[in-house]
């Protein structure tokens, strides 16, 4: 599934609007699908920290969500928020992906994809998209058509674009 975050802005390696959308989706998941385990993966460390911070603020006023998260601590299905570099064998029923990247406040799109742009970026992306047992939900402020796919473009970036297109179109 693809969730477009039309008003997201990527600055200082974070996308606050997208992070807020992901946090709202986490809370909705807990209410609507409490029997399904959940993991969240971001494209970088800064976005992971922002989502954790925003979620912690919301959990202070949400005893149901807090109890759900606490009930999984120490179990194989423990809720997690990780960045791309730290996802390994962490399978969950549902995985939320915060693509993180998007236009800046001036409307510019830059082709900087950090971990995905590296030599092993396609492997990291493969690990990410194979963690979901039931479904993956991709949250993105960046339309995949804005990702340039030229000769010499890193395989990981091309794979990200293809996966986002697939998520968007089904």
């Amino acid at each position: 599934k693809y969730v477009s975050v039309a008003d997201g802005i990527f600055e200082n390696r974070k996308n606050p609007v997208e992070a807020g959308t992901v946090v709202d989706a986490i809370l909705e998941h807990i209410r609507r699908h409490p029997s399904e385990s959940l993991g969240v993966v971001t494209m970088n460390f800064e976005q992971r920290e922002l989502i954790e911070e925003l979620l912690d603020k919301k959990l202070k006023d949400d005893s149901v969500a807090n109890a759900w998260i606490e009930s999984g601590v120490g179990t194989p299905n423990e809720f997690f928020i990780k960045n791309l570099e730290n996802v390994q064998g962490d399978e969950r029923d549902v995985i939320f992906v915060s693509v993180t990247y998007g236009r800046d406040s001036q409307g510019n799109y830059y082709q900087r994809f950090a971990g995905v742009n590296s030599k092993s970026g396609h492997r990291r992306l493969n690990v990410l998209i194979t963690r979901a047992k039931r479904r993956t939900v991709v949250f993105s402020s960046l339309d995949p058509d804005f990702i340039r796919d030229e000769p010499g473009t890193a395989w990981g970036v091309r794979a990200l674009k293809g996966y986002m297109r697939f998520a968007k179109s089904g």
Side-chain angles (χ1 to χ4, degrees):
K1 183 178 173 186
Y2 184 90
V3 176
S4 178
V5 184
D7 52 350
I9 300 292
F10 178 67
E11 289 190 318
N12 300 318
R13 301 185 46 82
K14 297 182 222 176
N15 188 326
V17 175
E18 188 173 300
T21 301
V22 171
V23 168
D24 290 344
I26 292 167
L27 298 173
E28 183 176 333
H29 173 89
I30 291 169
R31 284 182 197 72
R32 295 183 70 195
H33 308 284
S35 64
E36 294 181 340
S37 60
L38 177 64
V40 178
V41 181
T42 68
M43 291 296 163
N44 64 32
F45 176 81
E46 292 83 0
Q47 185 77 353
R48 177 188 64 84
E49 286 210 322
L50 179 58
I51 290 173
E52 286 179 345
E53 177 184 316
L54 294 174
L55 181 61
D56 285 346
K57 286 179 184 175
K58 294 244 180 164
L59 288 175
K60 289 179 182 176
D61 298 323
D62 193 330
S63 60
V64 172
N66 219 340
W68 183 86
I69 290 172
E70 290 297 319
S71 71
V73 172
T75 72
N77 290 321
E78 183 173 358
F79 170 72
F80 70 79
I81 303 172
K82 295 186 176 187
N83 50 298
L84 182 64
E85 293 82 12
N86 295 329
V87 170
Q88 297 298 321
D90 301 304
E91 286 189 339
R92 296 296 183 269
D93 293 323
V94 180
I95 295 291
F96 288 173
V97 178
S98 175
V99 173
T100 308
Y101 306 109
R103 71 182 190 285
D104 67 15
S105 59
Q106 270 65 67
N108 300 311
Y109 284 99
Y110 295 101
Q111 301 293 303
R112 300 177 189 141
F113 299 104
V116 178
N117 203 23
S118 70
K119 195 169 194 164
S120 63
H122 64 286
R123 289 190 200 112
R124 288 180 177 175
L125 191 62
N126 181 59
V127 169
L128 163 59
I129 64 176
T130 59
R131 299 301 91 197
K133 296 179 202 174
R134 295 186 180 185
R135 70 184 171 282
T136 302
V137 182
V138 177
F139 297 83
S140 182
S141 302
L142 174 65
D143 188 285
D145 291 334
F146 284 103
I147 299 174
R148 288 194 300 272
D149 186 3
E150 304 164 346
T153 299
W155 174 231
V157 174
R158 288 185 281 157
L160 175 64
K161 178 178 181 166
Y163 186 72
M164 288 173 62
R165 277 186 163 167
F166 170 72
K168 189 174 179 182
S169 70

